[in-house]
Amino acid sequence: MKSFSVRTKDAVARVESAQEKSCCQRAELTAAVLGCGMATLVGGEGICLCLRSEHAATARRIVRLIRDLFAQRPVLRIVHAARLGGRTAFEVRLSAELTQKVFRACGVSFSAETLPKHCLLKKCCRSAFLRGIFLCCGTIADPESGYQMEFLFSRERTAESVMRFLRAFFLVRAGVSERKDAYVVYIRDSESLLRLLSVIGASSAILEIENVMITKDARNRANRAANCDAANIAKLVGASDRQLRSIERIRQSVGLEALPEPLREIAALRYEHAEASLEELGQMMEPPLGKSGVYHRLRRLEAFAASLEGKEGTVTP
């Protein structure tokens, strides 16, 4: 079964690039170059650009972008590299001539570390750029395990530039951390996550996350209610047990007949109904008594029982 991250990329990759303006296509391709591009030396040609992704739909989308922008179709091949842990990857290889055209159009080079201005000027281009970096170097955690999106870069300055881009234009709480030989831009709150998914057109992922959030909230509410009920029951049982011990102490010391009629009545009811709540005890009385009245009488019983410790039965309740 596909992971949540792959399902989200599948949906984002289906956004129709041919219907977008050329400036947006250029911004998305720029993100691909920064996110998954690498320089390769090809004998007889020179330095060529290679864009690698483990997501097949992303590789095909890169091919379409290049075809739409430059009317050329680059080479797409499948590789099984040991350095990738034996996983399958898809490489889009450009000729040296096409590489130079892409660099000029995107405003980047092999040494580029910051974001070109053309990706930042328009709202539509910013959205396209964000979609590109998500497809090429982004991952998103399963919402059941937490809310987190990450973008992996090989250069620290590129990661910091993307972090500032996310903070400035999308108002998300993004950070950068180092992981082995790479730099990770991370977002770890649900509000920021939903905002970014909305920008890149991942509506199905938004619905899935919101469903998980609703389920988690309902589960938490149920757990809090159960814990509260358990605490109330424990409190009720503890109070009832304490009151029964007080009544028994009075009975053995001076007898319940020594109590005034109101206290004698509540003592008898508590003795007969050990598990009843204060409200239920009050309803059993004639005339009925409120919770505060029942509580006050039981407290008087406990105080009287406490006063009998080590004394003769001459204390007035």
Side-chain angles (χ1 to χ4, degrees), residues 24 46 78 165 176 211 226 239 278:
C24 299
I78 302 174
F165 165 72
V176 174
N211 285 337
L278 298 183

mmCIF file of all heavy atoms in Angstrom, residues 24 46 78 165 176 211 226 239 278:
data_model
loop_
_atom_site.group_PDB
_atom_site.id
_atom_site.type_symbol
_atom_site.label_atom_id
_atom_site.label_comp_id
_atom_site.label_asym_id
_atom_site.label_seq_id
_atom_site.Cartn_x
_atom_site.Cartn_y
_atom_site.Cartn_z
ATOM 1 N N CYS A 24 4.851 30.191 -14.404
ATOM 2 C CA CYS A 24 4.644 29.208 -13.331
ATOM 3 C C CYS A 24 5.365 27.905 -13.634
ATOM 4 O O CYS A 24 5.937 27.275 -12.745
ATOM 5 C CB CYS A 24 3.145 28.952 -13.134
ATOM 6 S SG CYS A 24 2.208 30.418 -12.646
ATOM 7 N N GLY A 46 30.086 17.174 -22.220
ATOM 8 C CA GLY A 46 30.420 18.138 -21.192
ATOM 9 C C GLY A 46 29.519 17.956 -19.984
ATOM 10 O O GLY A 46 29.012 16.860 -19.710
ATOM 11 N N ILE A 78 15.200 4.586 -15.975
ATOM 12 C CA ILE A 78 15.021 3.981 -14.649
ATOM 13 C C ILE A 78 16.366 3.419 -14.202
ATOM 14 O O ILE A 78 17.060 2.759 -14.974
ATOM 15 C CB ILE A 78 13.967 2.855 -14.700
ATOM 16 C CG1 ILE A 78 12.630 3.404 -15.211
ATOM 17 C CG2 ILE A 78 13.794 2.202 -13.334
ATOM 18 C CD1 ILE A 78 11.587 2.339 -15.437
ATOM 19 N N PHE A 165 11.547 31.690 2.666
ATOM 20 C CA PHE A 165 10.472 31.774 1.670
ATOM 21 C C PHE A 165 9.142 31.318 2.276
ATOM 22 O O PHE A 165 8.107 31.994 2.127
ATOM 23 C CB PHE A 165 10.861 30.894 0.481
ATOM 24 C CG PHE A 165 9.751 30.568 -0.472
ATOM 25 C CD1 PHE A 165 9.238 31.526 -1.327
ATOM 26 C CD2 PHE A 165 9.213 29.287 -0.514
ATOM 27 C CE1 PHE A 165 8.217 31.223 -2.227
ATOM 28 C CE2 PHE A 165 8.200 28.969 -1.395
ATOM 29 C CZ PHE A 165 7.697 29.946 -2.253
ATOM 30 N N VAL A 176 15.070 24.769 10.216
ATOM 31 C CA VAL A 176 16.086 24.008 9.488
ATOM 32 C C VAL A 176 16.904 23.208 10.486
ATOM 33 O O VAL A 176 17.300 23.724 11.534
ATOM 34 C CB VAL A 176 17.025 24.937 8.680
ATOM 35 C CG1 VAL A 176 18.147 24.129 8.049
ATOM 36 C CG2 VAL A 176 16.256 25.683 7.613
ATOM 37 N N ASN A 211 -9.978 14.678 8.639
ATOM 38 C CA ASN A 211 -10.699 13.530 9.204
ATOM 39 C C ASN A 211 -9.939 12.941 10.385
ATOM 40 O O ASN A 211 -10.546 12.586 11.411
ATOM 41 C CB ASN A 211 -10.908 12.462 8.136
ATOM 42 C CG ASN A 211 -11.988 12.837 7.141
ATOM 43 O OD1 ASN A 211 -12.858 13.649 7.434
ATOM 44 N ND2 ASN A 211 -11.935 12.250 5.949
ATOM 45 N N ALA A 226 -14.014 9.959 30.173
ATOM 46 C CA ALA A 226 -13.876 8.704 30.920
ATOM 47 C C ALA A 226 -12.992 8.901 32.151
ATOM 48 O O ALA A 226 -13.293 8.389 33.237
ATOM 49 C CB ALA A 226 -13.296 7.623 30.017
ATOM 50 N N ALA A 239 -15.358 9.217 49.596
ATOM 51 C CA ALA A 239 -16.145 10.019 50.537
ATOM 52 C C ALA A 239 -17.169 9.152 51.256
ATOM 53 O O ALA A 239 -17.377 9.275 52.475
ATOM 54 C CB ALA A 239 -16.836 11.157 49.795
ATOM 55 N N LEU A 278 -24.742 12.516 46.512
ATOM 56 C CA LEU A 278 -25.363 13.495 47.407
ATOM 57 C C LEU A 278 -26.750 13.893 46.908
ATOM 58 O O LEU A 278 -27.686 14.051 47.693
ATOM 59 C CB LEU A 278 -24.463 14.727 47.527
ATOM 60 C CG LEU A 278 -23.069 14.521 48.124
ATOM 61 C CD1 LEU A 278 -22.353 15.853 48.241
ATOM 62 C CD2 LEU A 278 -23.151 13.831 49.485
#
